[in-house]
C-alpha cells in the first residue's frame, strides 16, 4: 500500500532538500561568486531607482506649488513680485534636478527614465507657464536645458553664469528629453485654460483671446506630430483639445454675449457652460 503524503511531510521534505542544497553550495565556486556580483548590482540599481523616485516626487510637489503661485498673477496689478517668488521656487526645484543629475552620472539614463520623468514633466510645465506669463511665448527645449547646468564641489549648485569653474569643481548637466518636453507643454495647456477663466472672472477680457491664439498654435504643432511621436503625446492630445475648446467657448461668449453679462458674473457663466461640455467630445 503506497504511503499517504501529508502537507507536513511535504514541507519537511522540501526543507530537507533546501538544506541539502545550501550545504552542497560551494561559496568559492565561480558561479556562486558571479551571482553574488549580480545580486550586488541589482540591489544597487534598485536602491538608485527608489532614490530617483523620491527626488522626482519632491520635484513634482514643488513644481505644483510654483504653478499654484503663478495663478495669482491674474488677481494682482503688478505680477513681478509673484514672478520673482516663482524664480526662487524654481531655483529650489533645479537643486532637486541637480540631485537627479548626480545620481545619473555614469549611468544609462534610459534605465532610470521612468523613475524621474513625472517630476521632469511637471518642472517643464511650471517653467513654461512662468515663461509665458513673463514673455507671452513658449519656452524652447534648449532654453530649459541651458538652466540645468550645475557646479558640484562639496554640494550641487546651479550654474547661472558662464564663469570658469573653480579648480577641482565638476560640471554636471541634465538634459530634458524631447518626449518629456512635449508632455510638459501638453500639460501647460490645462493651466492656460484655468488662467483664461480666472482672467475673465477678474474683468480681463483681452487675455482669453491671446490665450486662444496661443493654444491654437500649440494644438497645430501637436497635430503635425500625429502618431509619429511618443505614445503618451497622443493620449494627452485629447485633453489639449478639450482645453482649447473651453478657451474658444469663453472667447465666443465674450464676443457674442459679453455686453449682456456683468463682468463679475462671467466666470460663473463659463463654469456652468464647461460642466455641460461632453468630456468625450473633441475639437475638430
Amino acid at each position: 500500500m503506497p504511503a499517504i503524503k501529508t502537507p507536513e511531510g511535504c514541507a519537511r521534505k522540501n526543507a530537507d532538500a533546501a538544506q541539502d542544497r545550501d550545504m552542497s553550495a560551494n561559496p568559492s565556486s565561480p558561479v556562486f561568486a558571479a551571482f553574488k556580483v549580480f545580486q550586488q548590482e541589482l540591489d544597487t540599481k534598485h536602491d538608485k531607482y527608489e532614490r530617483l523616485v523620491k527626488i522626482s516626487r519632491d520635484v513634482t510637489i514643488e513644481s505644483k506649488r510654483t504653478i499654484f503661485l503663478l495663478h495669482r498673477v491674474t488677481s494682482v496689478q503688478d505680477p513681478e513680485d509673484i514672478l520673482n517668488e516663482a524664480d526662487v521656487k524654481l531655483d529650489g526645484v533645479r537643486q532637486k534636478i541637480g540631485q537627479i543629475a548626480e545620481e545619473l552620472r555614469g549611468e544609462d539614463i534610459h534605465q532610470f527614465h521612468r523613475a524621474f520623468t513625472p517630476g521632469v514633466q511637471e518642472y517643464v510645465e511650471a517653467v513654461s507657464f512662468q515663461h509665458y506669463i513673463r514673455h507671452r511665448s513658449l519656452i524652447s527645449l534648449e532654453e530649459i536645458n541651458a538652466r540645468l547646468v550645475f557646479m558640484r564641489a562639496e554640494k550641487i549648485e546651479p550654474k547661472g553664469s558662464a564663469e570658469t569653474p573653480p579648480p577641482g569643481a565638476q560640471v554636471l548637466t541634465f538634459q530634458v528629453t524631447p518626449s518629456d518636453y512635449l508632455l510638459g507643454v501638453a500639460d501647460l495647456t490645462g493651466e492656460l485654460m484655468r488662467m483664461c477663466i480666472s482672467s475673465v472672472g477678474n474683468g480681463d477680457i483681452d487675455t482669453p483671446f491671446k490665450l486662444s491664439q496661443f493654444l491654437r498654435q500649440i494644438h497645430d504643432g501637436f497635430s503635425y506630430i500625429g502618431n509619429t511621436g511618443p505614445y503618451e503625446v497622443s493620449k494627452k492630445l485629447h485633453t489639449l483639445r478639450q482645453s482649447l475648446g473651453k478657451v474658444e467657448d469663453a472667447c465666443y461668449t465674450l464676443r457674442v454675449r459679453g455686453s449682456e453679462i456683468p463682468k463679475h458674473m462671467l466666470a460663473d457663466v463659463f463654469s456652468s457652460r464647461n460642466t455641460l461640455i461632453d468630456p468625450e467630445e473633441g475639437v475638430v
Side-chain angles (χ1 to χ4, degrees):
M1 180 177 179
I4 300 176
K5 296 182 179 180
T6 62
E8 293 81 2
C10 293
R12 189 180 304 108
K13 184 177 181 180
N14 292 334
D16 293 340
Q19 184 177 4
D20 293 339
R21 287 195 299 268
D22 294 339
M23 293 178 64
S24 61
N26 184 7
S28 61
S29 67
V31 176
F32 191 90
F35 273 88
K36 274 292 185 182
V37 175
F38 299 155
Q39 178 188 2
Q40 294 174 358
E41 291 178 354
L42 288 175
D43 289 343
T44 302
K45 179 181 177 181
H46 292 160
D47 292 343
K48 185 183 293 290
Y49 192 95
E50 291 300 323
R51 290 196 299 269
L52 288 171
V53 169
K54 293 179 181 178
I55 299 174
S56 175
R57 191 179 299 116
D58 294 338
V59 171
T60 300
I61 293 173
E62 293 301 324
S63 297
K64 286 184 179 296
R65 289 174 178 172
T66 304
I67 293 173
F68 296 154
L69 172 67
L70 290 171
H71 275 295
R72 290 167 48 194
V73 299
T74 59
S75 59
V76 297
Q77 294 293 333
D78 185 12
E80 196 60 33
D81 292 338
I82 294 179
L83 292 174
N84 292 334
E85 186 177 351
D87 280 329
V88 176
K89 287 184 174 293
L90 288 176
D91 285 339
V93 176
R94 282 187 277 270
Q95 292 282 346
K96 297 290 185 181
I97 297 179
Q99 296 179 21
I100 296 178
E102 173 66 20
E103 292 285 351
L104 294 176
R105 184 169 55 174
E107 299 285 353
D108 183 5
I109 186 176
H110 299 289
Q111 291 186 3
F112 302 95
H113 183 250
R114 293 186 62 182
F116 60 83
T117 181
V120 174
Q121 293 177 28
E122 200 70 31
Y123 167 74
V124 171
E125 180 182 357
V127 74
S128 58
F129 190 31
Q130 185 206 33
H131 187 273
Y132 176 80
I133 294 173
R134 180 168 280 166
H135 302 288
R136 298 300 174 180
S137 63
L138 180 64
I139 191 172
S140 65
L141 177 60
E142 291 75 16
E143 291 177 286
I144 293 178
N145 287 331
R147 302 180 186 180
L148 299 179
V149 182
F150 308 92
M151 290 297 303
R152 183 184 183 279
E154 295 181 356
K155 60 180 180 179
I156 299 176
E157 297 179 357
K159 179 66 175 177
S161 62
E163 299 176 358
T164 303
Q170 296 178 345
V171 179
L172 292 177
T173 60
F174 183 87
Q175 297 293 312
V176 177
T177 62
S179 60
D180 287 340
Y181 171 74
L182 290 176
L183 294 173
V185 172
D187 292 333
L188 167 67
T189 58
E191 304 304 331
L192 295 178
M193 181 271 296
R194 296 180 184 90
M195 181 181 178
C196 169
I197 304 302
S198 299
S199 299
V200 174
N202 292 317
D204 182 6
I205 60 176
D206 295 327
T207 298
F209 294 96
K210 297 178 182 177
L211 288 172
S212 176
Q213 183 179 4
F214 182 68
L215 287 175
R216 175 59 68 178
Q217 293 174 352
I218 294 180
H219 174 266
D220 292 343
F222 274 90
S223 298
Y224 286 129
I225 297 175
N227 295 327
T228 61
Y231 170 70
E232 295 84 356
V233 172
S234 59
K235 291 175 59 179
K236 291 194 176 185
L237 184 59
H238 178 69
T239 304
L240 191 158
R241 288 172 175 168
Q242 283 187 320
S243 299
L244 175 61
K246 292 178 182 179
V247 173
E248 290 182 338
D249 185 69
C251 293
Y252 168 81
T253 304
L254 286 174
R255 185 70 71 187
V256 176
R257 300 186 56 199
S259 59
E260 303 175 3
I261 305 173
K263 289 185 177 181
H264 67 278
M265 296 180 60
L266 286 174
D268 296 334
V269 172
F270 294 147
S271 299
S272 61
R273 287 175 65 90
N274 288 335
T275 57
L276 299 177
I277 296 179
D278 185 3
E280 298 299 326
E281 181 181 357
V283 177
V284 179

